Amino acid sequence: MKSHAKVVVIGGGVVGCSVLFHLARHGWTDVVLLERDELTSGSTWHAAGGMHTINGDPNVAKLQKYTISLYKEIEELSGQATGVHLTGGVLLAATEARLDWLRGVVAKGRYLGIDLEEISANEAAELMPLLDPKQFVGAVRNKEDGHLDPSGVTHAYAKAARKLGAEVERFTKVEDIVRRPDGMWRVITNKGEVVAEHVVNAGGLWAREVGRMVGLELPVLAMEHMYLITEDMPEVAAWNAKTGTEIIHAVDFDGELYLRQERGGMLMGTYEKANKVWSEFQTPWNFGHELLEPDIDRIAPSLEVGFRHFPAFERTGIKQIINGPFTFAPDGNPLVGPVRGLPGFWVACGVMAGFSQGGGVGLALSNWMIEGDPGADIWAMDVARYGDWATMAYTNAKVRENYSRRFSIRFPNEELPAGRQLKTTSIYDLLSAKGAQWGVSYGLEVPLWYAPAGVKDEFSWRRSSDFSHVANEVATVRESVGMAEISNFAKYKMTGEGAAAWLDRIFACKLPKPGRMTLAPMLKDDGKLIGDFTLANIGDGEWFIAGSGIAEQYHMRWFEAHLPADSSVRMEALGQTLTGLAIAGPKAREVLAKVSRADVSNAGFPFMAVAKMDIGTAPCLVGRVSYTGDLGYEIWVAPEYQRAAFRALMAAGEEFGLGLFGSRALNALRLEKNYGSWAREYRPIYGPLEAGLDRFVAYGKDADFIGKTGALAERKQGGKLRLRTFILDADDADVIGDEPIWFDGAVRGWVTSGGYAHHSKKSVAIGYVPKEIADESDGFEIELLGKRHAARVQAAPLFDANFERMRA
């Protein structure tokens, strides 16, 4: 075994071998994979081997499509058969709600290049003869589903990597990982140690244990997962003889089942409600090519549905039940990327759909390591989407919930209960008493809307029970004054003698003067967006930054990676050591004036001003800015003073009709202003010109800010896309994101977010289209729940197009 390597990959499952292959294919051949046993030990060897392109996140779906297309290449390069069978498949709907969801999947496939087609239940039965069409209301045909040989694929990756110069060491157990003072990593094994610049944790079932070697507690958990293999079935033999093809895959969402042919019989797997955690606290190192004891009683309810939906199963015997552990993250997506605070330490774990996602994970991680960027928008898989709040107990609760709901519908207004009330602010009880209906953002409880007694969310794809109540909240803001809690924003404090110069380099905007704020795009090296913030110059060398709460870890990783080494800049993520309130509406200034001795007149405190002032008895930081697009103020306050500030504002606002509003009303309000949001409109695949943020980029400033060259090139060349707001002729539902935008009969773009703008009484969608058609007035349609609706570009904001209210 070599003593030095550029990269050590830990784990010889399909993900680790894919990472190794992609690194070698990119030209990094001084790489070695360490596997404590044989390749495929752990979860890979007993996987059902299914592969599919469908995913809830379109960017992950693109990587899944890449993964499937890769198998031919690695088979040819390695000479190792992968056993790929591209049979195609059907996704089945037993309810109209499920069929609505599948229609959304078909629509998403249109701009992803995934060949999907809605078909009837009878047509599905003609393709998959074992199903009873009377049990279903419709289906979707997917031509790119299939299955493979898990061992063959894993060894193909490994052999291909070896041919490219990489090394694989089997029976080499990693016992510790130690970071040296020079930043290199000592990977200590039972056969000696390897010093490496980079370490990749692709440990699978042992990812937690590998993470703990460097002080990291990863939010992953293994679940027992069962599938059965039947005896040979005459129906299968008859179909094979008649058509010369295998029986295609089937996913029965409402039965929580997936099925495919296995030799002369069938394989049926289930994500049962009565699930079971495996090895909750620590994975035994001596576990390998072993299976767990089957428990058919636990999956019996799902099997009963399966036998009803697929009657031929009742007439055949079960040859084998496979029960083995697979790892999951709390939301079911992988954990991929560099770990904040551990330079050179990377993770690629929690990849439960390894044969659909493994190739994409390997590609993204190798790009990231070599080029400094994953080459794709992989936010849904980024390990930075979780913070320290994702404890072991939280992970346990969410993984169990996710597993039991893997095939369940998640409606756009549905909030899941597991792991809740983990983080709350000091006014949680006061807002609950006002009828707050809660969601969660980065672990923190967030008010969505306020319900009268006896009213609650009714989950639906269409406008639901909250619709009229959110409309009332919007009206309160537009007509008088509303108040919202905004503690879910990420907050950062910056000080030090080098802070101003560093901020001038990290942000593309012109720095504000003391007592002023500005909108601050942050760019990657290639000029694409990596963040959008509000930057405030408090004065006396102190800076305050507010941004997307879900991206706190993501952005701190970027900030810290670019901090100067001389300690001239001190940056702190404030988290919930600073909470927030916002007031907005035409009466907002009058409310603020009643609770503060400061001059908050338009002359004394103009738009984008910031200052420290008391709200009642509470010391606060107040900025005159509002995401509602109305006259408004953001108020930042230490948690111990939040109740006092809240009560003072409530009391002062009573005579002005102050009311509370939640994030759903805020969404309706920002849509009327054409305001985008991070992780929807603003993502690292879009440039500032494309996203409409170029007006905040100081192209001519002296500072050589990160991404300047790329941003200038985009401005010169014009980019490829444009972000546009559309008004669509909707029925009883509104877009939520990822719907296709049609132009002159062809899909040309996609929706990033939207909803109903209650004040303007319009259904609004925001999305990207090619720049060549971005300013066309006619010809657009947006597909929603299987129907194409006429849409028109709304260039000027629906509300306060001249920005008079917010600047008044």
Side-chain angles (χ1 to χ4, degrees), residues 4 140 228 310 453 475 621 626 636:
H4 290 75
V140 164
L228 61 85
F310 304 89
L621 177 68
S626 177
W636 303 105

Side-chain angles (χ1 to χ4, degrees), residues 35-36 171-175 188-191 213 285:
E35 164 55 45
R36 64 176 189 91
F171 305 106
T172 306
K173 178 176 175 287
V174 174
E175 297 177 337
I188 301 166
T189 80
N190 60 334
K191 294 182 178 179
M213 293 176 185
W285 286 105

Side-chain angles (χ1 to χ4, degrees), residues 193-252:
E193 70 176 60
V194 186
V195 176
E197 182 180 344
H198 300 276
V199 175
V200 178
N201 177 3
L205 290 176
W206 294 269
R208 288 180 306 180
E209 281 65 35
V210 173
R212 288 167 184 163
M213 293 176 185
V214 296
L216 180 65
E217 189 65 38
L218 288 166
V220 298
L221 184 69
M223 301 292 293
E224 294 190 14
H225 180 69
M226 278 181 280
Y227 61 86
L228 61 85
I229 299 172
T230 71
E231 303 285 353
D232 289 354
M233 299 173 68
E235 295 87 352
V236 172
W239 179 264
N240 296 162
K242 174 184 174 183
T243 66
T245 63
E246 288 183 82
I247 289 181
I248 64 175
H249 278 229
V251 177
D252 178 2

Side-chain angles (χ1 to χ4, degrees), residues 526-602:
D526 62 1
K528 302 293 187 182
L529 291 165
I530 197 170
D532 72 304
F533 302 86
T534 302
L535 172 64
N537 186 341
I538 308 303
D540 295 327
E542 181 182 348
W543 301 80
F544 174 76
I545 304 168
S548 173
I550 61 172
E552 180 183 293
Q553 193 87 341
Y554 176 84
H555 285 137
M556 279 301 292
R557 184 176 64 192
W558 180 264
F559 289 143
E560 290 174 347
H562 292 84
L563 283 174
D566 61 5
S567 301
S568 63
V569 178
R570 294 180 293 279
M571 185 164 198
E572 179 185 0
L574 299 173
Q576 292 310 303
T577 65
L578 195 67
T579 56
L581 299 167
I583 55 173
K587 302 293 185 181
R589 178 182 290 116
E590 294 171 75
V591 173
L592 186 62
K594 284 194 67 175
V595 295
S596 177
R597 294 192 301 271
D599 179 5
V600 296
S601 67
N602 193 41

Side-chain angles (χ1 to χ4, degrees), residues 42-43 46-50 205 221-228 256-259 267-278 287 290-296 298-299 302 320-328 352-353 402-404 406-407:
S43 297
H46 60 73
L205 290 176
L221 184 69
M223 301 292 293
E224 294 190 14
H225 180 69
M226 278 181 280
Y227 61 86
L228 61 85
E256 300 163 343
L257 303 165
Y258 60 88
L259 305 91
L267 180 152
M268 177 187 284
T270 175
Y271 287 90
E272 69 282 0
K273 301 294 185 190
N275 52 61
K276 186 176 180 182
V277 171
W278 179 78
F287 185 81
E290 301 153 70
L291 291 173
L292 308 176
E293 190 68 28
D295 185 0
I296 197 167
R298 201 167 76 239
I299 63 174
S302 294
Q320 187 179 13
I321 298 177
I322 305 294
N323 185 18
F326 286 88
T327 56
F328 295 77
M352 60 77 50
N402 178 273
Y403 184 98
S404 68
R406 183 155 182 79
F407 287 158

